[in-house]
Amino acid sequence: MVTATLPAPTAAQWTPEQWQDWRDEVRRLAAERDAVVLAHNYQAAQIQDVAHHVGDSLALSRIAASSDASTIVFAGVHFMAETAKILSPEKTVLVPDAAAGCSLADTITADQLRAWKAEHPGAAVVSYVNTTAEVKAETDICCTSSNAVEVVDSIPADREVLFLPDQFLGAHVQRVTGRKNMRIWMGECHVHAGISPTDLRHSIEDAPDAEVLVHPECGCATSALWMVGQGDLPEDRVHVLSTGAMLDQARRTTAKRVLVATEIGMLHQLRQANPAAVFEPVNPRAECPYMKKSTPERLLRALREGRDEVTVDPEVAARARSAVEAMIALGTPSLVGE
């Protein structure tokens, strides 16, 4: 049993044999509990490797909904586990640490959204999936970073749009759609916002022949496209992509070096997708402390003790589910998400 071999206090001290014991115990307990373990792309590599499925939050929630397992263990942040519960109300949903929040989701509350809607009666509300269940319940249609443009384009051109909560994704959508009647909430993910235009420029100066992958939540996304427009970067080497689309691009790229602007946990999946390329972070300090709260020890605790369970008020869940299903009904049920 793992309890006999794992030393205290942290997994950082474990030997290869003890890591194997941990992996075996996670899978044994998951089978015993009838649980499927889901890990977000930004989780630590060991968590990703032991999970049954790895992906972005919406893809994982949809996998959870289609799984035969009665228990979902979501190694991610709280709003992701909430989304899984919204789509799978009959299942038990656990998150390894209930304190795993999200700085982006925290930038807007349901009360703030209701007040914003009151200022703009008749406007369509588009919420990124990186929001709480209560905010989704006040939303007309959700979006992911991969389909945000399509979602906004689906709204009649003469109807005002309230887009929330990420200002950088909103700016990207407005730039692509050319939509003038779109108001954007000034929220941000502190990790992605911290990947700055200066970081990007220095990385490109150090690797002028590299391909560049930029998540649209990043503070450098606009700068990357501006550099393309100025001729500082070749257009065919710069891609503003969701995490799922980054994986697709990684599989097909022939570049020897690829600069990646997103949370550094994503590098593990990219490197596995294409071992022939060298993937380097634009900002090696871009690590989400909330994502990393799902430690190996806490994942094991979740499976052993059935904690921490995530619940959503049924009335809130029903309204939030409507917004998520409206997005899926658009005809882009892609596994690519944030």
Side-chain angles (χ1 to χ4, degrees):
M1 293 286 291
V2 171
T3 50
T5 57
L6 296 186
T10 67
Q13 299 175 334
W14 295 353
T15 66
E17 292 77 15
Q18 290 160 336
W19 275 112
Q20 186 59 53
D21 286 342
W22 171 78
R23 287 189 289 271
D24 291 345
E25 183 72 345
V26 166
R27 286 303 183 96
R28 185 190 73 78
L29 288 169
E32 184 179 281
R33 186 175 281 278
D34 187 30
V36 60
V37 178
L38 310 178
H40 189 269
N41 289 318
Y42 295 161
Q43 289 291 299
Q46 297 90 344
I47 301 288
Q48 294 187 40
D49 288 344
V50 80
H52 296 102
H53 301 281
V54 181
D56 64 70
S57 65
L58 185 62
L60 293 175
S61 291
R62 294 177 68 232
I63 288 170
S66 64
S67 172
D68 293 332
S70 61
T71 298
I72 310 301
V73 181
F74 209 128
V77 294
H78 197 268
F79 82 79
M80 298 178 181
E82 277 190 337
T83 306
K85 184 66 176 179
I86 287 165
L87 294 177
S88 309
E90 76 288 356
K91 296 181 181 179
T92 298
V93 178
L94 308 176
V95 63
D97 192 328
C102 173
S103 61
L104 176 57
D106 287 347
T107 62
I108 187 167
T109 66
D111 284 342
Q112 288 174 313
L113 177 52
R114 281 189 285 268
W116 199 28
K117 289 166 64 174
E119 294 172 1
H120 302 277
V125 178
V126 177
S127 293
Y128 195 18
V129 292
N130 297 36
T131 46
T132 65
E134 288 80 8
V135 167
K136 288 183 177 73
E138 295 294 331
T139 295
D140 293 301
I141 184 168
C142 287
C143 73
T144 68
S145 59
S146 66
N147 71 3
V149 169
E150 183 181 10
V151 167
V152 170
D153 273 340
S154 75
I155 297 166
D158 60 351
R159 188 177 181 189
E160 190 175 27
V161 173
L162 304 183
F163 187 95
L164 63 106
D166 190 84
Q167 60 180 304
F168 299 113
L169 177 59
H172 172 69
V173 171
Q174 190 167 43
R175 181 169 53 245
V176 173
T177 63
R179 192 156 190 137
K180 304 299 183 185
N181 60 345
M182 180 173 163
R183 297 181 182 273
I184 301 169
W185 190 261
M186 292 291 102
E188 63 182 29
C189 161
H190 76 285
V191 176
H192 283 98
I195 305 174
S196 69
T198 300
D199 292 329
L200 181 64
R201 186 171 290 278
H202 287 168
S203 295
I204 291 169
E205 289 171 353
D206 291 340
D209 296 327
E211 189 169 297
V212 183
L213 308 182
V214 180
H215 194 280
E217 282 184 42
C218 287
C220 65
T222 298
S223 179
L225 296 174
W226 182 84
M227 291 171 72
V228 169
Q230 292 294 109
D232 295 341
L233 283 174
E235 184 176 359
D236 61 351
R237 289 214 325 266
V238 178
H239 310 279
V240 179
L241 302 169
S242 67
T243 55
M246 283 185 181
L247 273 173
D248 291 339
Q249 182 62 24
R251 294 185 184 104
R252 62 176 172 257
T253 187
T254 58
K256 294 180 179 179
R257 295 179 72 179
V258 182
L259 301 175
V260 182
T262 192
E263 208 273 355
I264 59 175
M266 188 67 204
L267 294 168
H268 183 61
Q269 288 295 307
L270 296 174
R271 289 164 177 162
Q272 288 186 322
N274 187 346
V278 176
F279 293 90
E280 303 172 3
V282 168
N283 182 343
R285 301 174 302 283
E287 182 176 53
C288 176
Y290 300 112
M291 281 287 180
K292 302 312 188 276
K293 282 185 177 294
S294 292
T295 63
E297 299 94 331
R298 287 170 181 159
L299 175 58
L300 206 59
R301 183 188 70 175
L303 286 162
R304 279 189 180 140
E305 303 177 18
R307 53 182 296 193
D308 292 323
E309 185 171 358
V310 173
T311 60
V312 180
D313 177 88
E315 190 272 334
V316 170
R319 292 166 58 209
R321 191 178 308 118
S322 176
V324 174
E325 289 176 346
M327 173 188 68
I328 294 171
L330 267 180
T332 308
S334 169
L335 290 187
V336 173
E338 92 269 347

